[in-house]
Amino acid sequence: MGLKDDIARVLIPEQDIQKRVAELGAEINATYTDEDELILVCILKGAFMFLADLVRCMNVRHEINFMEISSYGTRAMSSGVVRILLDLEQNIDKRHVLIVEDIIDSGRTLDYVTRNLGTRGPASMRVCTLLNKPSRREIDVNLDFVGFEVPDEFVVGYGLDFAEDYRNLRFIGILREEAYRI
Ligand code: PRP
């Protein structure tokens, strides 16, 4: 028995992710110029793998920075309370910012991040997310670059976890109910 046995089925295979990430990279390249001195803000931990692949599909000049956000509770049952565990080390005043997320679910994390970063005076702020789960939205958020819309299933892999497991999978899979309803 391994972690892969907890996966009910593959939702997005590795090849499909790689193809879509390359398309997103091309969209971002077409949106910015080198003079924009773009800053990517990767929201840890889930977006680390997406960021690593995305920047390898980008040729527009950019810097990379990280923020870690915690939403108390588990992804299966979010409490809606959000706080910063690790803040940016960089001033974003008058800078062009692109937030990089793995998934937008209720929208609470992104709403908090955009309101927080918005107070720091960025020249522009856009959002790139690999996955979007609109059926679970509680707060309306604006998304500029979206990889895939996903159904209301418990998705893991390619950065996304359940209790810190499965982040290393190369694909996005649906977790078996028995694996998270303990
Ligand atoms: C996940 C994901 C988003 C957030 C989306 O992070 O990376 O940040 O949840 O959910 P929401 O739209 O309902 O706010 P999580 O809190 O699981 O932390 P992690 O990225 O460190 O795994």
Tab-separated table of all heavy atoms in Angstrom, residues 10-23 53 57 130 148 158 169-172:
chain	number	residue	atom	x	y	z
A	10	VAL	N	-7.322	9.697	-11.567
A	10	VAL	CA	-6.546	10.854	-12.012
A	10	VAL	C	-7.518	11.834	-12.669
A	10	VAL	O	-8.267	11.463	-13.567
A	10	VAL	CB	-5.461	10.429	-13.034
A	10	VAL	CG1	-4.750	11.651	-13.607
A	10	VAL	CG2	-4.459	9.491	-12.367
A	11	LEU	N	-7.516	13.080	-12.203
A	11	LEU	CA	-8.395	14.100	-12.790
A	11	LEU	C	-7.684	14.824	-13.928
A	11	LEU	O	-8.244	15.012	-15.004
A	11	LEU	CB	-8.831	15.101	-11.714
A	11	LEU	CG	-9.793	16.194	-12.168
A	11	LEU	CD1	-11.143	15.600	-12.565
A	11	LEU	CD2	-9.990	17.239	-11.062
A	12	ILE	N	-6.424	15.217	-13.683
A	12	ILE	CA	-5.643	15.908	-14.723
A	12	ILE	C	-4.267	15.240	-14.804
A	12	ILE	O	-3.457	15.350	-13.885
A	12	ILE	CB	-5.476	17.408	-14.408
A	12	ILE	CG1	-6.823	18.046	-14.031
A	12	ILE	CG2	-4.850	18.129	-15.604
A	12	ILE	CD1	-6.712	19.486	-13.536
A	13	PRO	N	-4.002	14.534	-15.911
A	13	PRO	CA	-2.714	13.851	-16.063
A	13	PRO	C	-1.555	14.843	-16.198
A	13	PRO	O	-1.762	16.006	-16.587
A	13	PRO	CB	-2.871	13.038	-17.351
A	13	PRO	CG	-4.281	13.153	-17.770
A	13	PRO	CD	-4.890	14.314	-17.069
A	14	GLU	N	-0.369	14.335	-15.914
A	14	GLU	CA	0.837	15.164	-15.950
A	14	GLU	C	0.984	15.919	-17.278
A	14	GLU	O	1.275	17.118	-17.290
A	14	GLU	CB	2.062	14.271	-15.725
A	14	GLU	CG	3.365	15.025	-15.731
A	14	GLU	CD	4.568	14.107	-15.548
A	14	GLU	OE1	4.391	12.877	-15.472
A	14	GLU	OE2	5.683	14.645	-15.482
A	15	GLN	N	0.762	15.226	-18.400
A	15	GLN	CA	0.950	15.864	-19.709
A	15	GLN	C	-0.003	17.042	-19.912
A	15	GLN	O	0.371	18.048	-20.509
A	15	GLN	CB	0.738	14.852	-20.853
A	15	GLN	CG	1.694	13.688	-20.838
A	15	GLN	CD	1.173	12.527	-19.999
A	15	GLN	OE1	0.640	12.714	-18.912
A	15	GLN	NE2	1.332	11.315	-20.503
A	16	ASP	N	-1.239	16.881	-19.427
A	16	ASP	CA	-2.232	17.955	-19.569
A	16	ASP	C	-1.838	19.161	-18.723
A	16	ASP	O	-2.029	20.311	-19.135
A	16	ASP	CB	-3.629	17.481	-19.147
A	16	ASP	CG	-4.198	16.425	-20.080
A	16	ASP	OD1	-3.424	15.869	-20.876
A	16	ASP	OD2	-5.399	16.142	-20.006
A	17	ILE	N	-1.298	18.896	-17.545
A	17	ILE	CA	-0.847	20.000	-16.682
A	17	ILE	C	0.285	20.746	-17.378
A	17	ILE	O	0.259	21.978	-17.482
A	17	ILE	CB	-0.360	19.478	-15.302
A	17	ILE	CG1	-1.504	18.842	-14.513
A	17	ILE	CG2	0.273	20.619	-14.494
A	17	ILE	CD1	-1.071	18.171	-13.223
A	18	GLN	N	1.261	20.000	-17.885
A	18	GLN	CA	2.422	20.640	-18.502
A	18	GLN	C	2.035	21.478	-19.713
A	18	GLN	O	2.552	22.578	-19.913
A	18	GLN	CB	3.470	19.587	-18.892
A	18	GLN	CG	4.098	18.869	-17.690
A	18	GLN	CD	4.736	19.816	-16.689
A	18	GLN	OE1	5.288	20.856	-17.058
A	18	GLN	NE2	4.670	19.488	-15.404
A	19	LYS	N	1.089	20.961	-20.507
A	19	LYS	CA	0.636	21.687	-21.698
A	19	LYS	C	-0.064	22.980	-21.283
A	19	LYS	O	0.198	24.048	-21.846
A	19	LYS	CB	-0.322	20.786	-22.490
A	19	LYS	CG	-0.858	21.374	-23.774
A	19	LYS	CD	-1.555	20.286	-24.608
A	19	LYS	CE	-2.217	20.862	-25.841
A	19	LYS	NZ	-3.517	21.482	-25.551
A	20	ARG	N	-0.921	22.887	-20.288
A	20	ARG	CA	-1.689	24.074	-19.850
A	20	ARG	C	-0.767	25.095	-19.171
A	20	ARG	O	-0.949	26.309	-19.347
A	20	ARG	CB	-2.808	23.632	-18.897
A	20	ARG	CG	-3.788	24.720	-18.560
A	20	ARG	CD	-4.700	25.059	-19.732
A	20	ARG	NE	-5.480	26.247	-19.421
A	20	ARG	CZ	-5.370	27.417	-20.053
A	20	ARG	NH1	-4.545	27.547	-21.080
A	20	ARG	NH2	-6.097	28.437	-19.690
A	21	VAL	N	0.214	24.621	-18.413
A	21	VAL	CA	1.140	25.542	-17.743
A	21	VAL	C	1.936	26.321	-18.793
A	21	VAL	O	2.149	27.529	-18.652
A	21	VAL	CB	2.078	24.782	-16.767
A	21	VAL	CG1	3.190	25.682	-16.252
A	21	VAL	CG2	1.278	24.230	-15.587
A	22	ALA	N	2.306	25.645	-19.876
A	22	ALA	CA	3.028	26.339	-20.954
A	22	ALA	C	2.142	27.413	-21.586
A	22	ALA	O	2.616	28.517	-21.908
A	22	ALA	CB	3.476	25.322	-22.014
A	23	GLU	N	0.844	27.109	-21.741
A	23	GLU	CA	-0.088	28.102	-22.297
A	23	GLU	C	-0.228	29.298	-21.358
A	23	GLU	O	-0.259	30.448	-21.795
A	23	GLU	CB	-1.460	27.458	-22.539
A	23	GLU	CG	-1.457	26.469	-23.696
A	23	GLU	CD	-2.729	25.620	-23.779
A	23	GLU	OE1	-3.601	25.746	-22.893
A	23	GLU	OE2	-2.830	24.817	-24.715
A	53	ASP	N	7.211	25.176	-12.382
A	53	ASP	CA	6.992	24.853	-13.795
A	53	ASP	C	6.611	26.100	-14.592
A	53	ASP	O	7.036	26.263	-15.732
A	53	ASP	CB	5.899	23.784	-13.934
A	53	ASP	CG	6.418	22.392	-13.590
A	53	ASP	OD1	7.650	22.184	-13.632
A	53	ASP	OD2	5.593	21.515	-13.281
A	57	CYS	N	8.332	28.345	-18.119
A	57	CYS	CA	7.620	28.636	-19.373
A	57	CYS	C	7.511	30.135	-19.600
A	57	CYS	O	6.770	30.572	-20.485
A	57	CYS	CB	6.229	28.019	-19.338
A	57	CYS	SG	6.246	26.235	-19.216
A	130	LEU	N	-3.726	27.699	-10.904
A	130	LEU	CA	-3.773	26.488	-11.723
A	130	LEU	C	-5.193	25.938	-11.755
A	130	LEU	O	-5.704	25.589	-12.807
A	130	LEU	CB	-2.809	25.429	-11.177
A	130	LEU	CG	-2.824	24.130	-11.979
A	130	LEU	CD1	-2.199	24.336	-13.347
A	130	LEU	CD2	-2.120	23.014	-11.231
A	148	PHE	N	-7.339	25.294	-14.996
A	148	PHE	CA	-8.453	24.350	-15.152
A	148	PHE	C	-9.553	24.655	-14.144
A	148	PHE	O	-9.259	25.021	-13.009
A	148	PHE	CB	-7.988	22.906	-14.856
A	148	PHE	CG	-6.878	22.410	-15.718
A	148	PHE	CD1	-5.553	22.550	-15.304
A	148	PHE	CD2	-7.140	21.766	-16.918
A	148	PHE	CE1	-4.509	22.068	-16.082
A	148	PHE	CE2	-6.100	21.280	-17.696
A	148	PHE	CZ	-4.786	21.435	-17.283
A	158	TYR	N	0.432	17.529	-7.266
A	158	TYR	CA	1.023	18.696	-7.923
A	158	TYR	C	0.992	19.901	-6.971
A	158	TYR	O	0.575	20.991	-7.324
A	158	TYR	CB	0.292	18.988	-9.240
A	158	TYR	CG	1.066	19.889	-10.179
A	158	TYR	CD1	2.208	19.433	-10.834
A	158	TYR	CD2	0.668	21.204	-10.386
A	158	TYR	CE1	2.914	20.260	-11.680
A	158	TYR	CE2	1.373	22.045	-11.232
A	158	TYR	CZ	2.495	21.557	-11.883
A	158	TYR	OH	3.195	22.385	-12.718
A	169	LEU	N	2.876	14.269	-5.978
A	169	LEU	CA	2.349	13.590	-7.162
A	169	LEU	C	2.484	14.498	-8.384
A	169	LEU	O	2.290	15.698	-8.293
A	169	LEU	CB	0.874	13.207	-6.958
A	169	LEU	CG	0.572	12.280	-5.779
A	169	LEU	CD1	-0.933	11.999	-5.708
A	169	LEU	CD2	1.359	10.980	-5.878
A	170	ARG	N	2.765	13.891	-9.536
A	170	ARG	CA	2.965	14.678	-10.767
A	170	ARG	C	1.647	15.044	-11.441
A	170	ARG	O	1.636	15.801	-12.401
A	170	ARG	CB	3.819	13.875	-11.774
A	170	ARG	CG	5.243	13.660	-11.311
A	170	ARG	CD	5.915	12.664	-12.244
A	170	ARG	NE	7.266	12.388	-11.807
A	170	ARG	CZ	8.332	13.029	-12.240
A	170	ARG	NH1	8.202	13.994	-13.141
A	170	ARG	NH2	9.522	12.711	-11.799
A	171	PHE	N	0.560	14.452	-10.966
A	171	PHE	CA	-0.761	14.684	-11.562
A	171	PHE	C	-1.704	15.206	-10.480
A	171	PHE	O	-1.378	15.185	-9.292
A	171	PHE	CB	-1.307	13.371	-12.147
A	171	PHE	CG	-1.391	12.252	-11.133
A	171	PHE	CD1	-2.504	12.119	-10.322
A	171	PHE	CD2	-0.333	11.347	-10.968
A	171	PHE	CE1	-2.586	11.112	-9.369
A	171	PHE	CE2	-0.402	10.333	-10.012
A	171	PHE	CZ	-1.529	10.219	-9.212
A	172	ILE	N	-2.882	15.694	-10.931
A	172	ILE	CA	-3.935	16.060	-9.982
A	172	ILE	C	-4.888	14.869	-9.904
A	172	ILE	O	-5.398	14.409	-10.936
A	172	ILE	CB	-4.732	17.304	-10.459
A	172	ILE	CG1	-3.808	18.507	-10.700
A	172	ILE	CG2	-5.852	17.635	-9.469
A	172	ILE	CD1	-3.372	19.262	-9.493
